[in-house]
């Protein structure tokens, strides 16, 4: 009888631990941070579309309010976490917190709180900038850069909070947090790719500059999520989620009626302008995961060189011919949305005329920049590997 008990007890204990792990809830402040990120993502896509279809008619657009709601939500929720951890001596977060300027709290909460403050400071700065200098000439104006830095901080802070919780967890609860991790990395990839959108239009896709810019933005997140996650399809899952979110905007925004309120009007706009069809990053992500399995025992630089080269080559192989397709009338439909132009783009624009815009002026310059793109792909992959390894050690 005693032998039976001694054999069954560990089994029951293990079963109890699995049930307990499966029923653990993700902390409320992580969900608030995720909601903050979603507000910024939806608000930003809506705002860009609003500018392209309606114009900047007022600061108080619904899209602007949703963007700044992101900063408010992150600032208040993470500020509360920091204050409660600092002044509540029995707070469960005290032992897994960092100290900063006399306050205590999770590292990610401090990053998110700073991001929320930066976003809110950028609001009056942006309004003053428009009143002083007129409408946006470039996306990367000083107030927009500050706003972007704030949004990046909130996204990165959210990722750090998820990682700290995930790295302390086990079993089913850790699997649950890993799914949230993919969600958090998706929006960091979207942010870095989105910042470059002025230079990643389809008219530039037959130039080396386009591929260089994508190599700066994308491989780092493929490597990061692959090394921090235990899932062998991590890069593919994350990129598939990114593509799905992007397509939701591409296909959803045109369903909302809109008309220009500012001039001059060069295009007949009757609905919100959709985002461009997403880059075909899903293909190099699949290649990345497949190659990674075969080189798992190699040195880190050898892995980075192989994965970076595989990423660039596979991306060029699919995006180059796809760019040809996007320049044809066959792409002018609801699926690929290649015939939706902002109201202020004249008919003489290369974009409207579907004409390539060269970014290199000689054969040699093109290949020199492609070699640089390869080096950047390798370097960013190596940085992503290091980031992923560092992120696996985050506990606070």
């Amino acid at each position: 009888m005693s032998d039976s008990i001694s054999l069954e007890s560990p089994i029951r204990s293990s079963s109890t631990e699995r049930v307990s792990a499966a029923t653990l809830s993700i902390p409320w402040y992580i969900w608030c941070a995720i909601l903050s990120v979603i507000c910024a993502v939806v608000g930003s896509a809506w705002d860009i579309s609003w500018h392209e279809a309606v114009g900047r008619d007022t600061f108080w657009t619904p899209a602007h309010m949703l963007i700044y709601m992101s900063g408010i939500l992150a600032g208040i929720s993470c500020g509360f976490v920091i204050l409660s951890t600092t002044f509540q001596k029995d707070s469960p977060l005290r032992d897994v917190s960092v100290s900063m300027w006399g306050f205590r709290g999770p590292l990610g909460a401090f990053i998110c709180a700073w991001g929320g403050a930066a976003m809110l400071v950028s609001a009056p700065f942006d309004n003053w900038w428009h009143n002083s200098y007129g409408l946006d000439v470039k996306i990367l104006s000083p107030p927009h850069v500050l706003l972007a830095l704030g949004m990046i901080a909130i996204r990165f802070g959210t990722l750090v909070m998820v990682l700290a919780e995930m790295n302390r967890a086990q079993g089913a609860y850790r699997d649950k947090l890993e799914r949230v991790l993919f969600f958090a990395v998706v929006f960091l990839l979207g942010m870095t790719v989105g910042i470059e959108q002025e230079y990643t239009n389809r008219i530039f896709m037959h130039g080396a500059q386009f591929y260089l810019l994508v190599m700066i933005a994308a491989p780092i997140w493929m490597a990061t999520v692959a090394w921090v996650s235990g899932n062998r399809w991590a890069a593919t899952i994350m990129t598939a989620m990114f593509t799905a979110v992007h397509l939701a905007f591409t296909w959803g925004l045109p369903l909302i009626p809109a008309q220009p309120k500012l001039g001059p009007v060069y295009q007949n706009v009757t609905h919100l302008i959709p985002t461009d069809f997403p880059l075909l990053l899903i293909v190099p992500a699949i290649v990345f995961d497949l190659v990674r399995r075969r080189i798992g025992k190699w040195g880190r630089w050898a892995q980075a060189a192989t994965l970076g080269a595989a990423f660039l080559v596979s991306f060029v192989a699919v995006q180059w011919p796809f760019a040809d397709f996007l320049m044809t009338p066959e792409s002018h439909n609801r699926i690929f949305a290649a015939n939706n132009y902002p109201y202020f783009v004249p008919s003489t624009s290369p974009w409207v005329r579907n004409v390539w815009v060269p970014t290199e002026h000689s054969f040699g310059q093109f290949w020199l920049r492609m070699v640089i793109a390869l080096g950047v792909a390798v370097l960013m992959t190596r940085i992503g590997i290091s980031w992923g390894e560092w992120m696996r050690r985050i506990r606070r």
Side-chain angles (χ1 to χ4, degrees):
M1 178 68 71
S2 60
D3 290 342
S4 174
I5 293 175
S6 64
L7 288 171
E8 290 178 5
S9 296
I11 296 174
R12 290 175 180 173
S13 176
S14 175
S15 175
T16 302
E17 288 176 1
R18 286 197 298 270
V19 172
S20 177
T23 56
L24 282 173
S25 297
I26 295 173
W28 65 269
Y29 54 86
I30 289 181
W31 287 124
C32 282
I34 291 290
L35 180 59
S36 169
V37 172
I38 292 173
C39 286
V41 170
V42 176
S44 297
W46 188 3
D47 183 50
I48 292 171
S49 181
W50 189 284
H51 279 241
E52 294 178 341
V54 179
R56 193 184 187 281
D57 52 336
T58 174
F59 175 80
W60 303 101
T61 62
H64 278 179
M65 297 304 100
L66 192 58
I67 291 172
Y68 294 115
M69 178 59 69
S70 168
I72 293 171
L73 185 58
I76 291 177
S77 60
C78 291
F80 176 82
V81 169
I82 293 168
L83 291 176
S84 63
T85 305
T86 301
F87 297 108
Q88 185 180 338
K89 302 306 180 183
D90 59 346
S91 170
L93 291 176
R94 284 188 70 86
D95 293 336
V96 290
S97 294
V98 298
S99 179
M100 190 176 299
W101 303 316
F103 295 94
R104 291 192 64 84
L107 175 60
F110 281 104
I111 298 172
C112 282
W114 181 91
M119 288 183 67
L120 296 178
V121 169
S122 75
F125 185 23
D126 185 47
N127 200 41
W128 170 84
W129 185 272
H130 284 288
N131 291 335
S132 300
Y133 298 103
L135 301 179
D136 293 320
V137 178
K138 294 289 184 180
I139 291 177
L140 295 180
S141 64
H144 286 179
V145 169
L146 180 59
L147 177 65
L149 289 174
M151 289 193 288
I152 289 173
I154 291 176
R155 296 177 198 206
F156 190 72
T158 301
L159 175 61
V160 170
M161 285 194 289
V162 173
L163 286 167
E165 187 76 12
M166 187 180 82
N167 292 336
R168 299 193 303 265
Q170 295 179 353
Y173 182 48
R174 190 186 189 283
D175 294 339
K176 187 188 300 185
L177 285 159
E178 190 172 78
R179 292 192 287 272
V180 180
L181 167 72
F182 290 138
F183 199 69
V185 179
V186 161
F187 295 124
L188 281 164
L189 172 62
M191 187 76 186
T192 50
V193 172
I195 287 174
E196 299 174 342
Q197 63 183 297
E198 280 188 279
Y199 308 100
T200 55
N201 187 286
R202 65 177 182 268
I203 61 176
F204 301 120
M205 289 182 183
H206 277 189
Q209 175 183 279
F210 166 79
Y211 296 96
L212 172 59
L213 290 172
V214 175
M215 292 307 104
I216 293 173
I220 187 172
W221 298 116
M222 304 291 171
T224 297
V225 76
W227 256 259
V228 78
S229 167
N231 194 306
R232 63 179 185 171
W233 290 104
T236 302
I237 293 170
M238 185 271 294
T239 310
M241 293 172 66
F242 163 79
T243 303
V245 170
H246 197 122
L247 285 173
F249 290 124
T250 302
W251 296 338
L253 287 170
L255 302 178
I256 304 174
Q259 289 183 329
K261 292 185 179 181
L262 299 174
V265 177
Y266 295 109
Q267 302 293 329
N268 180 29
V269 174
T270 59
H271 53 70
L272 289 180
I273 302 299
T275 56
D276 292 336
F277 196 84
L279 302 178
L280 300 183
L281 294 172
I282 186 63
V283 173
I286 294 171
V287 172
F288 189 99
D289 281 332
L290 289 173
V291 172
R292 182 167 60 96
R293 296 181 205 173
R294 297 181 176 272
I295 61 173
K297 296 182 180 180
W298 293 11
R300 291 295 183 246
W301 275 107
Q303 289 179 311
T306 305
L307 291 170
F311 191 93
L312 175 60
V313 170
S314 58
F315 182 62
V316 174
V318 295
Q319 193 67 42
W320 189 286
F322 186 63
D324 283 323
F325 168 74
L326 291 176
M327 299 293 264
T328 66
E330 286 72 21
S331 66
H332 293 182
N333 52 50
R334 288 289 303 277
I335 301 298
F336 299 101
N339 59 332
N340 288 269
Y341 309 106
Y343 73 87
F344 49 78
V345 176
S347 298
T348 56
S349 165
W351 186 5
V352 179
R353 294 166 53 219
N354 291 314
V355 176
W356 300 112
V357 174
T359 53
E360 292 80 35
H361 302 290
S362 69
F363 184 79
Q365 187 181 20
F366 172 86
W367 281 108
L368 174 61
R369 193 168 280 177
M370 288 298 286
V371 170
I372 295 172
L374 175 60
V376 167
V378 172
L379 177 61
M380 299 309 285
T381 301
R382 183 65 184 89
I383 293 173
I385 292 173
S386 296
W387 268 21
E389 292 175 336
W390 169 72
M391 287 178 179
R392 294 176 69 174
R393 298 194 296 270
I394 294 176
R395 295 290 189 278
R396 296 176 179 269

